[in-house]
Amino acid sequence: MEEQNAVRYVLGKREEDGRYPVTVDDSPAGTVHRRHGSWYATVPGHRNDRRFNDRFQAAEFLVTLADTGIRPTVPTPGSTHTPARSVLSPLVGRHADLTYRHLIPDLRLTVSNLVKASEAMARLAQLGWTPLEGYPGADQPWLMACRLCGWKGRRFWSHLRGRNGDKTPRPANRHPHCIPTKEFPSKLATLAAERTRECPCEFKHPMEIREAMSTLSLIRCCISNGDTAATTMHARAILEPCPASTRRAIVLRMAEEHWAAALRATRP
């Protein structure tokens, strides 16, 4: 069966978002992608959470799905992949176009992931980047714009945040054709002047631990009840752009750690 499937599927070239388009019997069948060490097979319009050891097993699974009549209901890459949409409903009003405050569908909607997203976006602001889509996790390509020169492309958050305790972003030259490296400090200093310690926004974001704990508690309750609309409104306090995003991320992390410690204390 594996030999038969290997002949029937073709893995396309890796796209910017990290997915490989797959055709089965010369027809689009979906995509495969890697996340946190596992591989997944995706057929637009159909949900599948199975994990595989490598891209080839994932592609073979697309052959199985194709044989049962499961094919993409929207175009797939190569002719193919539709940009990922948020797991949260769009907000109305002047923030409706700021889609990067949302998580993308492949990332589970959890309080932990929301806090990580707030930390990532706060750090991107410090480094002179603007995210153009939802936080995808540390090891997935993330579409963003360079505020030093206007370049747009995909970067890995794991590279920008540094590794093994080293917070130096990589690569040092940011991206091809950016401004000269020697100009980075002055440009970043100018951008730093935009950041504040207090939230000046009309919609107030949590700036104190008690406020952060209250927000996270409400989100946990909404997620538990399956109330996506309410989750969206409360997640706004975490993911919406704010000049004080650095302080917000810090208090959210402290609130999350406080909750985790309290939970551990209640266990036998």
Side-chain angles (χ1 to χ4, degrees):
M1 174 65 71
E2 291 184 358
E3 293 182 357
Q4 181 181 3
N5 287 354
V7 173
R8 294 177 57 195
Y9 76 76
V10 174
L11 276 168
K13 184 179 179 181
R14 182 180 181 277
E15 297 194 332
E16 281 192 355
D17 61 1
R19 295 171 184 260
Y20 295 79
V22 178
T23 59
V24 173
D25 299 334
D26 299 322
S27 297
T31 63
V32 299
H33 67 280
R34 185 176 183 272
R35 178 178 293 279
H36 301 307
S38 297
W39 284 83
Y40 297 84
T42 302
V43 180
H46 301 274
R47 183 176 179 81
N48 171 52
D49 295 322
R50 286 189 57 176
R51 300 183 180 186
F52 302 92
N53 294 328
D54 55 45
R55 72 190 70 178
F56 308 108
Q57 290 183 5
E60 288 167 0
F61 184 66
L62 289 178
V63 176
T64 302
L65 293 180
D67 286 343
T68 62
I70 297 178
R71 293 275 185 170
T73 56
V74 296
T76 53
S79 30
T80 81
H81 184 53
T82 299
R85 294 182 180 273
S86 165
V87 297
L88 300 178
S89 302
L91 298 176
V92 297
R94 63 190 179 91
H95 299 288
D97 60 334
L98 299 174
T99 57
Y100 64 81
R101 69 189 179 286
H102 299 314
L103 301 177
I104 63 172
D106 290 335
L107 201 63
R108 286 186 60 201
L109 178 55
T110 66
V111 166
S112 176
N113 282 336
L114 286 171
V115 173
K116 290 176 182 177
S118 74
E119 292 175 320
M121 289 188 289
R123 182 58 176 154
L124 287 190
Q126 296 172 0
L127 297 174
W129 293 95
T130 298
L132 300 177
E133 64 184 6
Y135 170 69
D139 62 351
Q140 298 297 308
W142 192 358
L143 183 63
M144 57 185 68
C146 174
R147 293 199 63 195
L148 306 191
C149 71
W151 177 89
K152 296 180 181 180
R154 295 185 181 275
R155 285 289 177 263
F156 288 88
W157 168 233
S158 59
H159 295 174
L160 294 177
R161 71 180 182 185
R163 298 191 180 201
N164 302 321
D166 179 0
K167 295 185 178 181
T168 303
R170 298 174 176 80
N173 64 350
R174 294 177 66 94
H175 60 82
H177 312 300
C178 193
I179 63 175
T181 305
K182 64 181 181 181
E183 297 180 17
F184 290 176
S186 62
K187 288 282 189 178
L188 291 175
T190 300
L191 295 178
E194 300 176 359
R195 300 197 299 275
T196 63
R197 178 170 172 76
E198 300 296 334
C199 171
C201 306
E202 179 180 351
F203 182 96
K204 296 302 179 183
H205 306 115
M207 294 289 119
E208 304 292 342
I209 294 180
R210 59 180 176 78
E211 296 171 345
M213 292 181 67
S214 176
T215 298
L216 297 184
S217 178
L218 286 170
I219 291 175
R220 284 192 185 91
C221 182
C222 293
I223 292 176
S224 178
N225 293 333
D227 191 340
T228 303
T231 302
T232 299
M233 291 306 300
H234 294 305
R236 175 182 177 182
I238 293 180
L239 301 179
E240 194 172 78
C242 176
S245 61
T246 296
R247 180 178 178 183
R248 175 178 61 182
I250 291 173
V251 299
L252 285 168
R253 172 54 60 193
M254 294 175 68
E256 175 69 352
E257 291 177 351
H258 185 278
W259 179 84
L263 184 63
R264 288 193 298 269
T266 62
R267 293 173 179 170

